PDB file of all heavy atoms in Angstrom:
ATOM      1  N   LEU A 122       9.428  18.503  17.988  1.00  0.00           N
ATOM      2  CA  LEU A 122       8.556  19.638  17.625  1.00  0.00           C
ATOM      3  C   LEU A 122       7.701  19.354  16.392  1.00  0.00           C
ATOM      4  O   LEU A 122       6.923  20.201  15.984  1.00  0.00           O
ATOM      5  CB  LEU A 122       9.400  20.894  17.366  1.00  0.00           C
ATOM      6  CG  LEU A 122       9.921  21.664  18.574  1.00  0.00           C
ATOM      7  CD1 LEU A 122      10.789  22.836  18.126  1.00  0.00           C
ATOM      8  CD2 LEU A 122       8.784  22.163  19.463  1.00  0.00           C
ATOM      9  N   SER A 126       2.636  17.310  16.752  1.00  0.00           N
ATOM     10  CA  SER A 126       1.638  18.305  16.331  1.00  0.00           C
ATOM     11  C   SER A 126       0.524  17.667  15.492  1.00  0.00           C
ATOM     12  O   SER A 126      -0.560  18.220  15.387  1.00  0.00           O
ATOM     13  CB  SER A 126       2.314  19.452  15.581  1.00  0.00           C
ATOM     14  OG  SER A 126       2.464  19.142  14.226  1.00  0.00           O
ATOM     15  N   ASP A 146      14.412  31.523  16.005  1.00  0.00           N
ATOM     16  CA  ASP A 146      13.711  31.303  14.731  1.00  0.00           C
ATOM     17  C   ASP A 146      12.847  30.036  14.729  1.00  0.00           C
ATOM     18  O   ASP A 146      12.173  29.737  13.745  1.00  0.00           O
ATOM     19  CB  ASP A 146      14.728  31.221  13.579  1.00  0.00           C
ATOM     20  CG  ASP A 146      15.784  30.142  13.814  1.00  0.00           C
ATOM     21  OD1 ASP A 146      15.810  29.554  14.928  1.00  0.00           O
ATOM     22  OD2 ASP A 146      16.574  29.882  12.895  1.00  0.00           O
ATOM     23  N   LYS A 147      12.852  29.281  15.817  1.00  0.00           N
ATOM     24  CA  LYS A 147      12.139  27.997  15.804  1.00  0.00           C
ATOM     25  C   LYS A 147      10.639  28.098  15.507  1.00  0.00           C
ATOM     26  O   LYS A 147      10.091  27.241  14.809  1.00  0.00           O
ATOM     27  CB  LYS A 147      12.377  27.214  17.107  1.00  0.00           C
ATOM     28  CG  LYS A 147      13.801  26.711  17.257  1.00  0.00           C
ATOM     29  CD  LYS A 147      14.227  25.870  16.072  1.00  0.00           C
ATOM     30  CE  LYS A 147      15.703  25.560  16.081  1.00  0.00           C
ATOM     31  NZ  LYS A 147      16.580  26.733  15.844  1.00  0.00           N
ATOM     32  N   PRO A 148       9.936  29.146  15.968  1.00  0.00           N
ATOM     33  CA  PRO A 148       8.518  29.222  15.593  1.00  0.00           C
ATOM     34  C   PRO A 148       8.319  29.286  14.078  1.00  0.00           C
ATOM     35  O   PRO A 148       7.336  28.769  13.549  1.00  0.00           O
ATOM     36  CB  PRO A 148       8.046  30.517  16.269  1.00  0.00           C
ATOM     37  CG  PRO A 148       8.977  30.689  17.430  1.00  0.00           C
ATOM     38  CD  PRO A 148      10.314  30.189  16.943  1.00  0.00           C
ATOM     39  N   LEU A 149       9.290  29.911  13.369  1.00  0.00           N
ATOM     40  CA  LEU A 149       9.170  30.021  11.903  1.00  0.00           C
ATOM     41  C   LEU A 149       9.541  28.710  11.224  1.00  0.00           C
ATOM     42  O   LEU A 149       8.981  28.349  10.187  1.00  0.00           O
ATOM     43  CB  LEU A 149      10.076  31.147  11.381  1.00  0.00           C
ATOM     44  CG  LEU A 149       9.864  32.513  12.037  1.00  0.00           C
ATOM     45  CD1 LEU A 149      10.834  33.536  11.461  1.00  0.00           C
ATOM     46  CD2 LEU A 149       8.421  32.981  11.847  1.00  0.00           C
ATOM     47  N   LYS A 150      10.475  27.960  11.838  1.00  0.00           N
ATOM     48  CA  LYS A 150      10.907  26.706  11.224  1.00  0.00           C
ATOM     49  C   LYS A 150       9.938  25.551  11.481  1.00  0.00           C
ATOM     50  O   LYS A 150       9.866  24.614  10.698  1.00  0.00           O
ATOM     51  CB  LYS A 150      12.276  26.310  11.788  1.00  0.00           C
ATOM     52  CG  LYS A 150      13.407  27.167  11.281  1.00  0.00           C
ATOM     53  CD  LYS A 150      14.719  26.615  11.780  1.00  0.00           C
ATOM     54  CE  LYS A 150      15.886  27.306  11.112  1.00  0.00           C
ATOM     55  NZ  LYS A 150      17.161  26.869  11.717  1.00  0.00           N
ATOM     56  N   TYR A 151       9.246  25.606  12.631  1.00  0.00           N
ATOM     57  CA  TYR A 151       8.313  24.535  13.010  1.00  0.00           C
ATOM     58  C   TYR A 151       6.936  25.146  13.256  1.00  0.00           C
ATOM     59  O   TYR A 151       6.413  25.086  14.375  1.00  0.00           O
ATOM     60  CB  TYR A 151       8.820  23.801  14.264  1.00  0.00           C
ATOM     61  CG  TYR A 151      10.173  23.177  14.053  1.00  0.00           C
ATOM     62  CD1 TYR A 151      11.336  23.863  14.393  1.00  0.00           C
ATOM     63  CD2 TYR A 151      10.294  21.919  13.473  1.00  0.00           C
ATOM     64  CE1 TYR A 151      12.584  23.306  14.169  1.00  0.00           C
ATOM     65  CE2 TYR A 151      11.539  21.356  13.249  1.00  0.00           C
ATOM     66  CZ  TYR A 151      12.680  22.061  13.598  1.00  0.00           C
ATOM     67  OH  TYR A 151      13.910  21.499  13.376  1.00  0.00           O
ATOM     68  N   PRO A 152       6.349  25.780  12.226  1.00  0.00           N
ATOM     69  CA  PRO A 152       5.143  26.581  12.466  1.00  0.00           C
ATOM     70  C   PRO A 152       3.947  25.783  12.969  1.00  0.00           C
ATOM     71  O   PRO A 152       3.144  26.308  13.742  1.00  0.00           O
ATOM     72  CB  PRO A 152       4.853  27.204  11.092  1.00  0.00           C
ATOM     73  CG  PRO A 152       5.604  26.378  10.106  1.00  0.00           C
ATOM     74  CD  PRO A 152       6.787  25.821  10.821  1.00  0.00           C
ATOM     75  N   SER A 153       3.836  24.520  12.556  1.00  0.00           N
ATOM     76  CA  SER A 153       2.612  23.786  12.877  1.00  0.00           C
ATOM     77  C   SER A 153       2.372  23.731  14.383  1.00  0.00           C
ATOM     78  O   SER A 153       1.279  24.045  14.867  1.00  0.00           O
ATOM     79  CB  SER A 153       2.687  22.373  12.277  1.00  0.00           C
ATOM     80  OG  SER A 153       1.607  21.630  12.730  1.00  0.00           O
ATOM     81  N   ILE A 154       3.390  23.382  15.146  1.00  0.00           N
ATOM     82  CA  ILE A 154       3.172  23.227  16.584  1.00  0.00           C
ATOM     83  C   ILE A 154       2.943  24.575  17.260  1.00  0.00           C
ATOM     84  O   ILE A 154       2.174  24.678  18.223  1.00  0.00           O
ATOM     85  CB  ILE A 154       4.292  22.393  17.259  1.00  0.00           C
ATOM     86  CG1 ILE A 154       3.883  22.024  18.670  1.00  0.00           C
ATOM     87  CG2 ILE A 154       5.634  23.080  17.242  1.00  0.00           C
ATOM     88  CD1 ILE A 154       2.552  21.321  18.764  1.00  0.00           C
ATOM     89  N   PHE A 155       3.576  25.635  16.715  1.00  0.00           N
ATOM     90  CA  PHE A 155       3.347  26.962  17.310  1.00  0.00           C
ATOM     91  C   PHE A 155       1.951  27.469  16.936  1.00  0.00           C
ATOM     92  O   PHE A 155       1.289  28.121  17.732  1.00  0.00           O
ATOM     93  CB  PHE A 155       4.448  27.943  16.876  1.00  0.00           C
ATOM     94  CG  PHE A 155       5.753  27.641  17.570  1.00  0.00           C
ATOM     95  CD1 PHE A 155       6.618  26.675  17.070  1.00  0.00           C
ATOM     96  CD2 PHE A 155       6.077  28.274  18.759  1.00  0.00           C
ATOM     97  CE1 PHE A 155       7.806  26.363  17.735  1.00  0.00           C
ATOM     98  CE2 PHE A 155       7.256  27.965  19.427  1.00  0.00           C
ATOM     99  CZ  PHE A 155       8.121  27.000  18.906  1.00  0.00           C
ATOM    100  N   PHE A 156       1.482  27.115  15.752  1.00  0.00           N
ATOM    101  CA  PHE A 156       0.134  27.509  15.324  1.00  0.00           C
ATOM    102  C   PHE A 156      -0.939  26.826  16.176  1.00  0.00           C
ATOM    103  O   PHE A 156      -1.954  27.407  16.518  1.00  0.00           O
ATOM    104  CB  PHE A 156      -0.046  27.164  13.842  1.00  0.00           C
ATOM    105  CG  PHE A 156      -1.403  27.502  13.324  1.00  0.00           C
ATOM    106  CD1 PHE A 156      -1.778  28.833  13.166  1.00  0.00           C
ATOM    107  CD2 PHE A 156      -2.314  26.498  13.007  1.00  0.00           C
ATOM    108  CE1 PHE A 156      -3.050  29.165  12.702  1.00  0.00           C
ATOM    109  CE2 PHE A 156      -3.583  26.821  12.542  1.00  0.00           C
ATOM    110  CZ  PHE A 156      -3.951  28.153  12.395  1.00  0.00           C
ATOM    111  N   LYS A 157      -0.665  25.558  16.534  1.00  0.00           N
ATOM    112  CA  LYS A 157      -1.697  24.789  17.255  1.00  0.00           C
ATOM    113  C   LYS A 157      -1.655  24.966  18.767  1.00  0.00           C
ATOM    114  O   LYS A 157      -2.545  24.472  19.460  1.00  0.00           O
ATOM    115  CB  LYS A 157      -1.544  23.303  16.919  1.00  0.00           C
ATOM    116  CG  LYS A 157      -1.916  22.981  15.485  1.00  0.00           C
ATOM    117  CD  LYS A 157      -1.785  21.502  15.205  1.00  0.00           C
ATOM    118  CE  LYS A 157      -2.176  21.191  13.771  1.00  0.00           C
ATOM    119  NZ  LYS A 157      -1.914  19.782  13.425  1.00  0.00           N
ATOM    120  N   SER A 158      -0.618  25.618  19.297  1.00  0.00           N
ATOM    121  CA  SER A 158      -0.500  25.727  20.752  1.00  0.00           C
ATOM    122  C   SER A 158      -1.081  27.044  21.254  1.00  0.00           C
ATOM    123  O   SER A 158      -0.843  28.099  20.676  1.00  0.00           O
ATOM    124  CB  SER A 158       0.976  25.636  21.167  1.00  0.00           C
ATOM    125  OG  SER A 158       1.484  24.372  20.811  1.00  0.00           O
ATOM    126  N   ILE A 186       3.174  33.475  13.708  1.00  0.00           N
ATOM    127  CA  ILE A 186       2.558  32.192  13.387  1.00  0.00           C
ATOM    128  C   ILE A 186       1.166  32.090  14.018  1.00  0.00           C
ATOM    129  O   ILE A 186       0.235  31.566  13.417  1.00  0.00           O
ATOM    130  CB  ILE A 186       3.459  31.026  13.898  1.00  0.00           C
ATOM    131  CG1 ILE A 186       4.855  31.098  13.267  1.00  0.00           C
ATOM    132  CG2 ILE A 186       2.808  29.674  13.647  1.00  0.00           C
ATOM    133  CD1 ILE A 186       4.886  31.027  11.754  1.00  0.00           C
ATOM    134  N   ARG A 187       1.043  32.592  15.242  1.00  0.00           N
ATOM    135  CA  ARG A 187      -0.256  32.536  15.927  1.00  0.00           C
ATOM    136  C   ARG A 187      -0.516  33.882  16.613  1.00  0.00           C
ATOM    137  O   ARG A 187      -0.189  34.075  17.798  1.00  0.00           O
ATOM    138  CB  ARG A 187      -0.260  31.399  16.950  1.00  0.00           C
ATOM    139  CG  ARG A 187      -1.626  31.255  17.606  1.00  0.00           C
ATOM    140  CD  ARG A 187      -1.707  30.036  18.487  1.00  0.00           C
ATOM    141  NE  ARG A 187      -2.884  30.111  19.320  1.00  0.00           N
ATOM    142  CZ  ARG A 187      -3.839  29.194  19.366  1.00  0.00           C
ATOM    143  NH1 ARG A 187      -3.740  28.100  18.668  1.00  0.00           N
ATOM    144  NH2 ARG A 187      -4.888  29.354  20.153  1.00  0.00           N
TER     145      ARG A 187
END
Side-chain angles (χ1 to χ4, degrees):
L122 282 177
S126 85
D146 56 353
K147 291 305 170 291
L149 306 179
K150 287 186 171 174
Y151 300 93
S153 172
I154 191 54
F155 287 84
F156 179 70
K157 291 181 179 174
S158 297
I186 301 301
R187 184 173 167 123

